[in-house]
């Protein structure tokens, strides 16, 4: 789901060679806002039918959200993500932005257009998902394709509706809050040694995001034994409209501290997905991919 496989090589090279991005030097790290902006009026006009028993538990809200999102032909989402690798005096960062159009139903499909940027260089990326196959094109490279269940491709596909399945799997890890006309479902882990929390669902998800960068660190000679890695924090939040139960936003943040040469490398990821509105079109593969 995350951009790690695309960004990690760029970040790793900069940190291990000491080539920090000059534009980032001295600047603090600013995480993206965890609170979505107000949902567009067009999305809020149709409330769910009156019900004798409104949802009360996280599981009940997830079921209503799945029903509400499935009640439209499709949805458009705005995605923004950022990753950092940080050592004292050095920082490398990369960002990803995309517009995702995702249809619903059993034969759902997805089309994403976006770009990855680092050190002032931007590289476009286009993704299709149809009939269980993902198609990815980066810059001027040829199309790659593979099963969307393959970790290599799953990591590159931003599917905001997949958060519903993720939160169901988290079970009792999910807390529920209803402030100011919103519904917030949250799974969170605070600072702890990785070995003490690695079995929590939201941490397992964060480890999948870290895995490509960790593999490259180890290949470059950074031992990084799991027993010495710490979790700074992991937090995933799903925001629903309290009247319609539709998803208005989804955020994911994680921080890991990795030992390196008497210091610690800090890896951070922050992704925000916001629901832009409904999508009434279809997703069709380009002629060369059919």
């Amino acid at each position: 789901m995350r951009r790690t496989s695309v960004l990690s090589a760029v970040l790793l090279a900069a940190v291990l060679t000491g080539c920090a991005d000059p534009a980032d030097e001295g600047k603090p790290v600013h995480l993206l806002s965890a609170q979505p902006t107000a949902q567009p009026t067009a999305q809020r006009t149709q409330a769910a039918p009156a019900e004798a028993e409104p949802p009360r538990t996280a599981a009940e809200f997830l079921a209503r959200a799945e029903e509400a999102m499935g009640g439209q032909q499709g949805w458009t989402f705005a995605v923004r993500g950022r990753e950092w690798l940080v050592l004292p005096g050095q920082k490398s960062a990369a960002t990803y932005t995309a517009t995702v159009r995702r249809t619903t139903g059993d034969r759902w499909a997805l089309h994403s257009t976006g770009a990855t940027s680092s050190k002032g260089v931007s590289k476009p990326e286009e993704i299709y998902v149809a009939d269980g196959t993902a198609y990815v094109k980066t810059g001027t490279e040829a199309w790659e394709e593979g099963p969307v269940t393959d970790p290599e491709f799953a990591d590159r596909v931003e599917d905001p509706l997949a958060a519903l399945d993720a939160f169901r799997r988290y079970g009792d890890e999910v807390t529920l809050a209803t402030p100011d006309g919103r519904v917030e479902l949250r799974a969170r882990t605070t600072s702890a040694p990785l070995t003490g929390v690695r079995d929590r669902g939201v941490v397992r998800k964060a480890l999948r995001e870290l895995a490509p960068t960790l593999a490259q660190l180890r290949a470059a000679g950074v031992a990084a034994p799991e027993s010495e890695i710490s979790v700074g924090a992991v937090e995933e939040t799903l925001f629903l409209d309290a009247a319609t139960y539709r998803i208005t936003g989804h955020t994911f943040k994680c921080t890991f501290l990795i030992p390196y040469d008497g210091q610690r490398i800090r890896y951070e990821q922050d992704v925000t997905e916001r629901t832009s509105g409904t999508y009434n079109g279809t997703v069709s593969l380009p002629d060369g991919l059919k």
Side-chain angles (χ1 to χ4, degrees):
M1 176 178 157
R2 297 291 168 263
R3 313 307 311 162
T4 308
S5 61
V6 179
L7 306 181
S8 57
V10 175
L11 302 181
L12 175 62
V15 168
L16 294 186
T17 59
C19 297
D21 188 338
D24 285 336
E25 283 192 33
K27 291 184 180 180
V29 173
H30 297 286
L31 295 182
L32 299 174
S33 170
Q35 179 175 311
T37 54
Q39 193 178 16
T41 302
Q43 270 188 251
R44 300 175 59 94
T45 54
Q46 183 181 353
E51 296 152 346
E53 294 293 334
R56 299 184 183 279
T57 67
E60 289 172 349
F61 274 107
L62 287 170
R64 296 293 175 85
E66 183 172 27
E67 181 181 2
M69 299 304 285
Q72 297 291 331
Q73 180 174 323
W75 297 90
T76 301
F77 303 92
V79 177
R80 179 174 176 81
R82 193 174 187 190
E83 287 180 305
W84 299 263
L85 280 179
V86 183
L87 274 172
Q90 303 176 37
K91 182 176 73 173
S92 184
T95 62
Y96 176 77
T97 57
T99 298
V100 177
R101 298 170 182 85
R102 207 273 203 189
T103 64
T104 60
D106 292 338
R107 293 176 61 86
W108 66 271
L110 177 149
H111 181 211
S112 171
T113 52
T116 300
S117 299
S118 180
K119 294 183 177 295
V121 178
S122 180
K123 181 178 291 188
E125 182 177 77
E126 186 170 15
I127 298 173
Y128 286 91
V129 176
D131 294 326
T133 300
Y135 305 83
V136 181
K137 182 178 177 61
T138 303
T140 59
E141 299 173 8
W143 285 95
E144 302 174 70
E145 66 178 85
V148 73
T149 53
D150 183 327
E152 179 183 351
F153 289 92
D155 182 64
R156 300 171 73 175
V157 175
E158 295 287 351
D159 178 10
L161 294 190
L164 293 169
D165 290 331
F167 272 78
R168 275 192 290 268
R169 290 193 297 269
Y170 295 159
D172 292 341
E173 293 180 32
V174 178
T175 60
L176 170 65
T178 55
D180 302 326
R182 297 192 312 276
V183 176
E184 298 179 1
L185 304 173
R186 182 173 289 111
R188 171 190 291 163
T189 297
T190 55
S191 179
L194 174 57
T195 52
V197 294
R198 74 169 339 277
D199 290 334
R200 293 179 63 87
V202 72
V203 176
R204 290 199 300 269
K205 177 175 180 176
L207 281 172
R208 291 194 296 271
E209 307 302 333
L210 174 67
T213 297
L214 193 58
Q216 292 189 46
L217 283 169
R218 287 169 173 162
V222 179
E226 186 172 299
S227 60
E228 297 180 19
I229 296 176
S230 297
V231 175
V234 180
E235 181 177 302
E236 185 171 8
T237 306
L238 189 63
F239 300 87
L240 309 179
D241 183 276
T244 65
Y245 309 122
R246 295 175 176 177
I247 295 173
T248 60
H250 172 235
T251 63
F252 180 86
K253 303 178 185 178
C254 65
T255 303
F256 289 94
L257 302 173
I258 304 163
Y260 170 58
D261 194 25
Q263 304 179 80
R264 291 195 296 184
I265 298 173
R266 187 171 80 246
Y267 169 84
E268 296 188 34
Q269 184 184 115
D270 187 334
V271 178
T272 297
E273 301 166 342
R274 304 190 192 281
T275 306
S276 302
T278 57
Y279 176 64
N280 296 318
T282 60
V283 173
S284 299
L285 296 176
D287 291 339
L289 299 180
K290 294 180 180 178

